[in-house]
Structure formats: structure tokens, C-alpha cells
Amino acid sequence: EVVLTQSPVILSLSPGERATLSCRASQSIASYLVWYQQKPGQAPRLLIYDASNRATGIPARFSGSGSGTDFTLTISSLEPEDFAVYYCQQRTNWPLTFGGGTKVEIK
Amino acid sequence: QVQLVESGGGVVQPGRSLRLSCAASGFTFSNYGVHWVRQAPGKGLEWVAVIMSDGKSKFYVDSVEGRFTISRDNSKSTLYLQMNDLRAEDSALYFCARDRGASALYCDYWGQGTLVTVSS
């Protein structure tokens, strides 16, 4: 099983600041890494697929990078609606696995 | 627009069974794989199972293999999850989610979930 480790667990930032979230895989997953955003009481929303491709309707302030075992989700300038929990997911090996999540909270 | 609506959750005793349903609309259901993903209260996401668009290929997380069965009825645009021998650790909000393609193995649309509580 591919274990995904997200860091930090909690990221405290102010609106307008840059957020950098990390996802590390226990083995190489090429570029088959996906990012989701989840707000309280809501279903997850697809943000980024295959490490760096923004999903339909996702603002340009969200970007993804990485390959192999190290991946990064960057939010260039936090908007109030961006404070949420972010999960990564790999789609290379069975079972599909998610990281434990990073909560981006208002400082 | 794409909609996924789960139903069938509830409170059930350990060892009993439950069947979840997910009614899909707004897209050609038979062209897409569909997943179940669960989330225990206050916890992260856990992928449970997927059924590909052909209805034949199915995959499960180890912890539910042999107890849960994923199936689909394309004529009704409905996904199912038959859950047998339920355990306390199966308690979670169960999301139905559409695969981005026939077998892309990630999800672009999600339902709002149905809550399963396993308790005596």
C-alpha cells in the first residue's frame, strides 16, 4: 500500500499569504497525484489531478507540482474561502489511498 | 448538472447488513466508473471501493474485501454498496463519487454522503 504523508498537519496563515502544502509518498507514484479541498460539512472538491493539472473551474492561485515521491500544493494568495482541509490521493497502486490531510486555518 | 444522491445509511448493530444506494443524474452513468469513499467522524478520507464503467472490474480496500460488494445498475443510473458483517470501525459518512473517466481512479463529482453508524 502506498502511504501518503501530508505536512504540516495544521497550517496557520492570514488571508493574502502564500500556502505551501506537502504530500510525500512511500514509493514512487510518477505524477499520479490528486489534490482535493474539503470544507466543514461539505463533500471534497477536486482541485488538481496528475500533480499539476487544475480541474475545471479551479482558480489559478491553486497550483500543484512534483513527481515521484514529493508533491506540493501551493495557494499563491489565500482567499477567505480557501481555509479548509486539503487531501492528496494517489491513483497508481491498489488500494487507492489518501493522505491524512492538512488543515489550513486562519491565523 | 451532475448530481449524486446517497441513501440507505442508518444505525445498525455489529454483524448486521446494510445496503447503500447512490442515484446519479446529469451525465451518462454507464460511461463512468464510480467510487465509494468514507470518512469517520472527525477523521480523514478513506477510499472503499470502485466499480469501472463496464461493471465487471471492481476493487476494494483490504479492510472491506469479502464483506462489502459494490455493484451498479446502469438502467437505473444507480450505484450500490452491500455491506455485510458490519463492524464499529465501518461507522462513517459514505460518499459516492464519480470517476473522472471510465477508470481514471480519481473523483470529479461527489455526493453529500450517507451516515452509517454501527453500534449495539
Side-chain angles (χ1 to χ4, degrees):
Chain A
E1 171 176 322
V2 176
V3 177
L4 298 177
T5 302
Q6 292 187 241
S7 62
V9 173
I10 299 175
L11 189 55
S12 298
L13 294 168
S14 300
E17 289 194 293
R18 182 184 188 89
T20 303
L21 288 66
S22 173
C23 178
R24 178 164 290 176
S26 59
Q27 63 190 76
S28 177
I29 56 171
S31 295
Y32 299 122
L33 193 282
V34 181
W35 290 96
Y36 301 92
Q37 175 195 66
Q38 187 180 33
K39 298 179 182 179
Q42 296 186 17
R45 177 173 73 143
L46 176 65
L47 293 178
I48 301 283
Y49 64 94
D50 291 351
S52 61
N53 298 286
R54 273 190 303 277
T56 303
I58 301 303
R61 64 181 181 273
F62 290 92
S63 63
S65 63
S67 65
T69 60
D70 290 308
F71 301 86
T72 300
L73 174 69
T74 301
I75 311 170
S76 60
S77 178
L78 282 164
E79 297 288 338
E81 61 268 27
D82 299 337
F83 292 91
V85 180
Y86 293 83
Y87 294 95
C88 57
Q89 179 231 314
Q90 63 83 21
R91 67 182 192 92
T92 303
N93 288 27
W94 299 109
L96 305 182
T97 50
F98 288 89
T102 290
K103 181 179 182 180
V104 179
E105 65 174 23
I106 300 176
K107 187 175 182 179
Chain B
Q1 73 281 22
V2 173
Q3 277 198 309
L4 298 162
V5 180
E6 303 92 336
S7 61
V11 180
V12 61
Q13 293 179 328
R16 304 293 288 240
S17 300
L18 207 58
R19 187 176 84 154
L20 306 183
S21 299
C22 172
S25 60
F27 65 102
T28 304
F29 183 71
S30 59
N31 289 349
Y32 292 84
V34 208
H35 302 251
W36 287 103
V37 177
R38 67 186 178 184
Q39 186 169 37
K43 302 297 184 182
L45 300 171
E46 181 184 33
W47 176 80
V48 174
V50 63
I51 184 167
M52 306 305 187
S53 58
D54 64 6
K56 298 176 182 177
S57 300
K58 308 173 186 180
F59 297 89
Y60 301 89
V61 67
D62 285 353
S63 60
V64 309
E65 183 90 55
R67 298 188 299 124
F68 290 11
T69 302
I70 189 170
S71 62
R72 63 192 296 161
D73 184 337
N74 286 342
S75 68
K76 295 181 179 179
S77 296
T78 301
L79 173 72
Y80 302 101
L81 186 68
Q82 177 67 42
M83 305 187 294
N84 297 332
D85 188 24
L86 282 160
R87 305 168 182 171
E89 55 265 34
D90 296 319
S91 295
L93 184 64
Y94 282 73
F95 294 103
C96 160
R98 190 185 82 165
D99 193 272
R100 195 166 184 254
S103 58
L105 303 183
Y106 63 97
C107 305
D108 59 355
Y109 287 94
W110 299 64
Q112 289 302 306
T114 186
L115 184 63
V116 173
T117 303
V118 184
S119 173
S120 54

